């Protein structure tokens, strides 16, 4: 089974590499996609058959150890059980359908190669999540899925709205990553070497002797639920999924209709022994599902596009899955997941054809055309059909149009305060900031040398500086280089703070900075080359479309961004886990500021990349404006003649 698990995991990665190295020719890309998807299907079917033949075992496989030092160990751990079997089989079936569909649907699309690169990276991340044996490996796949979503929502990067919506979805992903990152940290803190998914159930076998205190388990459960709610667009994060439908229809089908939207359910299934241990967290999951069902069901009624309606329908069904999970109906959840995934995938793939068919019918009809010509329950008396007062009906209608104002609430409570703090830091006089920095350094030196304060307490002002640097990057509006420098400064301060906490962590900090410093240098070089011909009168934070005009430099900037924010292709990803492990063993308070800094850095870096590399090229915009003005002018010239002829 070990070889088949590796084949199922690595074949999408192989497909990604082959497509990346191949020329931009549709036939070659289509052939690679076809054979890699079929090879992955053979591996998954063989794995499931062998698993059934071996009497459905819970199989764990440690491939190798990525890094080990003292009491720290980062194993590449894979795990296969009935949850993995259901999800992996569904991934193969839907992915094969999407690949076959896209070979024709995206014919002659300018982003043909880019789409298949992103979809294969998504499936690799998804398989990594499904086959993960620990929460650390799950988080790596979680990050890959999130980045693939960010790119696919903004696939039509010439249009402003898909680009904006991709950042909205990514900010929700990053915010909910706080729950998963801190949850990973707490699992190390509470369970030590027993945080493997295969071992979780055994930790909670004895109700009289839980592995941790009630408060600790409640906090860990809440963090996990936050991560699951954000990924599955549950209350209060319901708003981002309909906006994520701006991408191509096939990506909407596989991401937000079928697979990605159910990853929150998968996380709850995997960590069920933790959050289901107490009734309070069960009730919390139940209420999140119930509120989601109510809000999404009402909001669906006023959606003006078919993809938005399907999105809210999918959110509603996932809400029901949350309710089922809170009631302990795990098997029903798996069946429900399969039904909803295949149904939403089918609905989204046929939605363009349905809309086109209805438009043809409307064009050929001689009379008024209504899709629903007969009201529901028309056979009932009017007094029974209209049971709600008119005022309540109007209230629900407005509530539905505004989608519960959830996005405004999240923005007002989370993003606006952070942005205001960042703007305030950036507006502070540089001399004042330098004075405060010098005073802080002298205070640390005096406390360390003169008073004899324990050096670990000196990490507190450094951690504050780390968060301030991240807020400065988040609040910066028109200076990409300053954002890059602020993100790097925040990461360096994180490493320095860990050295004050534990002076023996020099090697771990070096591993972390070995991913940060080269990425920063690469980014600075690329930014200077991209911006050297920039018009000073034009704001740097309008969409610059460098991916069209400077594709190679844009690719290098993207790689720099990924490494700078600790994506799983960089040593910084392992370094982040190492820094958090030192917080676990020495000063747990440090986990919160370092996690907040990492999350904010990711959002700030994504915004810089998006603003510089996406958008419509200037020459295309200028040509479009010229053509539009010519059409308007010709219309004005012909309009008087038309009126004169009528007279």
């Amino acid at each position: 089974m070990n070889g088949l698990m590796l084949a199922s995991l690595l074949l999408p990665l192989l497909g990604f590499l082959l497509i990346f190295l191949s020329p931009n020719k549709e036939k070659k890309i289509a052939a690679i996609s076809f054979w890699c998807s079929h090879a992955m299907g053979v591996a998954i079917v063989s794995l499931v058959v062998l698993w059934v033949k071996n009497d459905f075992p819970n199989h764990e496989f440690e491939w190798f150890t990525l890094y080990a030092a003292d009491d720290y160990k980062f194993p590449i751990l894979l795990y296969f059980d009935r949850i993995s079997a259901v999800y992996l089989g569904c991934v193969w079936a839907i992915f094969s359908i999407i690949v076959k569909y896209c070979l024709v649907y995206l014919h002659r699309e300018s982003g043909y190669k880019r789409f298949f690169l992103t979809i294969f990276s998504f499936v690799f991340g998804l398989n990594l999540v499904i086959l993960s044996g620990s929460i650390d490996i799950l988080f790596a796949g979680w990050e890959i899925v999130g980045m693939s979503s960010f790119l696919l929502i903004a696939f039509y990067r010439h249009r402003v709205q898909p680009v904006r919506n991709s950042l909205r979805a990514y900010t929700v992903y990053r915010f909910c990553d706080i729950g998963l990152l801190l949850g990973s940290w707490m699992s190390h803190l509470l369970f030590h070497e027993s945080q493997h998914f295969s071992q979780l159930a055994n930790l909670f076998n004895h109700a009289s002797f839980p592995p941790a205190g009630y408060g600790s388990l409640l906090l860990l459960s809440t963090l996990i639920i936050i991560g699951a709610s954000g990924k599955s667009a549950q209350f209060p994060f319901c708003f981002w999924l309909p906006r994520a439908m701006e991408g191509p229809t096939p990506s909407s089908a596989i991401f937000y209709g079928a697979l990605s939207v159910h990853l929150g359910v998968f996380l709850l299934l995997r960590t069920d022994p933790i959050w289901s241990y107490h009734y309070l967290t069960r009730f919390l999951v139940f209420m999140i599902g119930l509120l989601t069902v109510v809000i999404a069901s009402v909001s669906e009624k006023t959606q003006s596009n078919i993809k938005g309606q399907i999105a809210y329908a999918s959110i509603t069904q996932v809400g029901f899955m949350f309710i089922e999970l809170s009631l302990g109906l795990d098997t029903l959840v798996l069946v429900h997941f399969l039904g909803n995934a295949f149904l939403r995938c089918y609905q989204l793939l046929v939605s363009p054809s349905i809309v086109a068919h209805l438009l043809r019918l409307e064009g050929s009809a001689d009379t008024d055309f209504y899709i629903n010509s007969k009201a529901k329950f028309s056979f009932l008396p009017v007094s029974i059909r209209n049971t709600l007062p008119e005022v309540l009906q109007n209230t629900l209608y407005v509530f539905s149009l505004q989608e519960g104002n959830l996005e405004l609430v999240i923005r007002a409570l989370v993003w606006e305060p952070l942005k205001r703090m960042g703007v305030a830091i950036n507006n502070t006089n540089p001399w004042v900031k330098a004075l405060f920095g010098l005073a802080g350094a002298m205070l640390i030196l005096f406390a360390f040398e003169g008073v004899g304060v324990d050096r670990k307490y000196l990490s507190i002002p450094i951690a504050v500086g780390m968060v301030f640097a991240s807020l400065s990057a988040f609040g910066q509006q028109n200076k990409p280089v300053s954002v890059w420098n602020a993100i790097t400064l925040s990461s360096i301060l994180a490493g320095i703070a860990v050295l004050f906490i534990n002076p023996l962590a020099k090697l771990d900090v070096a591993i972390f900075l070995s991913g940060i410093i080269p990425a920063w240098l690469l980014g600075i070089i690329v930014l200077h080359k991209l911006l050297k011909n920039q018009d000073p009168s034009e704001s740097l934070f309008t969409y610059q479309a460098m991916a069209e005009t400077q594709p190679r430099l844009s690719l290098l900037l993207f790689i720099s961004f990924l490494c700078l924010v600790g994506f799983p292709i960089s040593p910084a990803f392992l370094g982040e886990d190492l820094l958090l492990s030192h917080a676990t063993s020495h000063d747990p308070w440090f986990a919160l500021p370092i996690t907040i800094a990492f999350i904010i850095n990711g959002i700030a870096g994504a915004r810089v990349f998006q603003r510089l590399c996406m958008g419509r090229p200037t020459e295309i915009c200028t040509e479009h404006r010229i053509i539009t003005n010519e059409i308007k002018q010709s219309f004005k010239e012909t309009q008087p003649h038309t009126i004169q002829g009528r007279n």
Side-chain angles (χ1 to χ4, degrees):
M1 290 183 64
N2 297 342
L4 291 174
M5 290 172 68
L6 288 176
S8 302
L9 175 64
L10 297 178
L11 278 170
L13 180 60
L14 176 63
F16 172 86
L17 294 175
L18 290 175
I19 293 173
F20 181 78
L21 297 174
S22 66
N24 192 11
K25 295 181 179 179
E26 279 194 24
K27 287 186 177 180
K28 194 158 189 175
I29 295 170
I32 294 172
S33 303
F34 178 83
W35 288 111
C36 284
S37 62
H38 279 65
M40 188 185 82
V42 171
I44 290 175
V45 171
S46 303
L47 176 61
V48 173
V49 169
L50 184 59
W51 174 70
V52 172
K53 186 178 179 181
N54 292 336
D55 199 21
F56 310 99
N58 294 337
H59 182 71
E60 185 179 65
F61 167 50
E62 182 176 332
W63 187 13
F64 64 93
T65 299
L66 183 63
Y67 181 76
D70 299 328
D71 58 346
Y72 177 86
K73 187 179 180 182
F74 194 111
I76 305 300
L77 198 68
L78 305 180
Y79 183 60
F80 192 84
D81 63 349
R82 69 186 185 111
I83 301 172
S84 306
V86 172
Y87 267 80
L88 206 60
C90 185
V91 166
W92 162 66
I94 292 178
F95 177 59
S96 300
I97 293 170
I98 295 298
V99 168
K100 181 68 176 177
Y101 184 90
C102 292
L103 297 181
V104 178
Y105 183 82
L106 293 175
H107 177 53
R108 292 188 177 180
E109 179 70 52
S110 58
Y112 193 86
K113 180 177 181 178
R114 178 161 48 93
F115 177 85
F116 279 98
L117 281 172
T118 313
I119 209 77
F120 269 91
S121 67
F122 163 71
V123 174
F124 170 67
L126 197 61
N127 287 356
L128 187 59
V129 170
I130 294 169
L131 293 172
S132 59
S134 66
I135 199 167
D136 295 325
I137 303 300
L138 185 145
F139 184 72
W142 197 273
E143 289 286 275
I144 296 172
V145 170
M147 187 56 63
S148 302
S149 299
F150 170 70
L151 294 174
L152 272 179
I153 297 170
F155 178 78
Y156 298 116
R157 55 196 182 193
H158 289 171
R159 292 160 44 196
V160 173
Q161 202 57 40
V163 175
R164 288 177 177 172
N165 287 339
S166 68
L167 188 61
R168 286 178 178 176
Y170 187 68
T171 53
V172 174
Y173 279 171
R174 294 296 294 182
F175 175 74
C176 295
D177 284 349
I178 293 178
L180 201 56
L181 259 177
L182 290 178
S184 174
W185 163 75
M186 280 203 70
S187 69
H188 286 286
L189 181 66
L190 298 177
F191 308 139
H192 304 292
E193 296 300 322
S194 301
Q195 77 274 12
H196 298 177
F197 293 138
S198 61
Q199 300 168 347
L200 283 181
N202 297 330
L203 292 175
F204 292 85
N205 280 340
H206 304 288
S208 303
F209 302 99
Y214 179 81
S216 300
L217 288 177
L218 178 61
L219 178 58
L220 175 57
S221 301
T222 304
L223 293 171
I224 291 172
I225 292 169
I226 289 173
S229 299
K231 203 69 165 183
S232 289
Q234 297 298 284
F235 179 86
F237 307 107
C238 310
F239 55 86
W240 70 263
L241 189 67
R243 290 162 178 76
M245 295 293 180
E246 292 280 359
T249 297
S251 69
S252 300
I254 192 171
F255 269 80
Y256 315 111
L259 299 177
S260 180
V261 73
H262 294 97
L263 280 184
V265 177
F266 178 84
L267 178 62
L268 292 182
L269 284 168
R270 269 284 176 258
T271 58
D272 180 78
I274 299 174
W275 64 265
S276 64
Y277 187 74
H278 292 293
Y279 288 108
L280 179 58
T281 48
R282 282 181 176 269
F283 179 73
L284 179 60
V285 173
F286 180 88
M287 288 306 301
I288 289 174
L290 181 62
L291 288 171
T292 302
V293 168
V294 173
I295 293 174
S297 299
V298 173
S299 300
E300 179 193 356
K301 304 302 180 185
T302 55
Q303 291 296 304
S304 59
N305 61 88
I306 189 170
K307 291 174 76 173
Q309 292 178 348
I310 296 172
Y312 271 116
S314 186
I315 293 171
T316 303
Q317 293 304 313
V318 175
F320 279 119
M321 293 180 204
F322 270 54
I323 294 174
E324 293 160 4
L325 280 168
S326 68
L327 299 176
L329 305 174
D330 294 1
T331 303
L332 178 60
V333 169
L334 291 175
V335 176
H336 196 167
F337 153 67
L338 288 174
N340 188 56
F342 284 109
L343 174 63
R344 303 308 169 195
C345 180
Y346 168 76
Q347 287 179 328
L348 283 165
L349 291 181
V350 302
S351 59
S353 302
I354 291 174
V355 172
H357 174 66
L358 292 175
L359 288 174
R360 285 195 294 268
L361 287 179
E362 184 178 11
S364 61
D366 295 332
T367 59
D368 293 337
F369 179 80
Y370 299 99
I371 296 176
N372 294 322
S373 59
K374 206 169 186 181
K376 292 182 180 179
F377 308 113
S378 58
F379 61 91
L380 296 174
V382 177
S383 59
I384 297 178
R385 276 185 280 154
N386 299 328
T387 55
L388 293 177
E390 185 177 357
V391 174
L392 183 56
Q393 290 183 24
N394 293 336
T395 302
L396 288 175
Y397 183 74
V398 173
F399 179 86
S400 175
L401 285 175
Q402 296 175 343
E403 299 173 303
N405 283 324
L406 291 177
E407 184 176 8
L408 295 178
V409 171
I410 295 296
R411 184 183 301 171
L413 293 179
V414 180
W415 304 125
E416 290 300 332
L418 295 176
K419 188 175 181 179
R420 284 196 295 269
M421 286 188 285
V423 170
I425 293 170
N426 293 328
N427 290 338
T428 304
N429 191 294
W431 289 103
V432 175
K433 288 190 282 188
L435 182 62
F436 273 102
L438 182 61
M442 293 180 64
L443 180 63
I444 290 173
L445 183 63
F446 174 73
F448 181 62
E449 296 292 341
V451 182
V453 175
D454 191 341
R455 66 186 303 161
K456 71 176 183 179
Y457 295 113
L458 304 180
S459 63
I460 297 176
I462 298 175
V464 173
M466 170 189 69
V467 175
F468 277 12
S470 297
L471 290 173
S472 173
F474 187 75
Q476 189 63 256
Q477 292 295 319
N478 55 0
K479 297 179 180 178
V481 176
S482 298
V483 174
W484 228 248
N485 291 335
I487 293 173
T488 306
L489 176 62
S490 174
S491 301
I492 292 173
L493 289 176
I496 295 173
V498 168
L499 287 178
F500 275 101
I501 292 174
N502 181 15
L504 301 178
K506 293 184 178 66
L507 178 59
D508 297 343
V509 173
I511 291 174
F512 174 66
L513 294 181
S514 69
I516 298 296
I517 301 300
W520 169 71
L521 289 173
L522 175 63
I524 291 297
I525 294 171
V526 171
L527 285 173
H528 279 295
K529 288 188 176 182
L530 287 174
L531 301 174
K532 65 179 180 181
N533 297 323
Q534 180 68 38
D535 184 1
S537 63
E538 187 177 1
S539 172
L540 291 181
F541 257 40
T542 55
Y543 295 112
Q544 301 295 306
M546 298 291 187
E548 299 289 337
T549 59
Q550 300 282 352
R552 292 184 179 179
L553 289 176
S554 298
L555 177 60
L556 291 176
L557 182 65
F558 182 62
I559 295 172
S560 171
F561 155 62
L562 293 181
C563 296
L564 195 63
V565 300
F567 197 68
I569 62 172
S570 165
F573 176 78
L574 175 61
E576 288 180 2
D577 197 65
L578 288 167
L579 298 190
L580 284 172
S581 70
H582 288 292
T584 302
S585 56
H586 292 85
D587 288 280
W589 64 268
F590 184 64
L592 181 60
I594 197 173
T595 300
I596 292 174
F598 288 157
I599 297 306
I600 295 176
N601 290 345
I603 298 172
R607 188 172 58 185
V608 168
F609 167 75
Q610 189 183 68
R611 291 284 182 170
L612 289 178
C613 297
M614 297 183 183
R616 184 181 294 273
T618 306
E619 60 271 14
I620 296 180
C621 294
T622 305
E623 184 180 353
H624 177 73
R625 284 195 296 267
I626 293 173
I627 294 173
T628 303
N629 291 334
E630 289 177 353
I631 293 174
K632 288 181 179 179
Q633 186 65 29
S634 62
F635 178 75
K636 289 179 182 178
E637 292 174 356
T638 56
Q639 194 173 15
H641 298 291
T642 305
I643 295 173
Q644 185 178 3
R646 287 178 181 175
N647 293 333

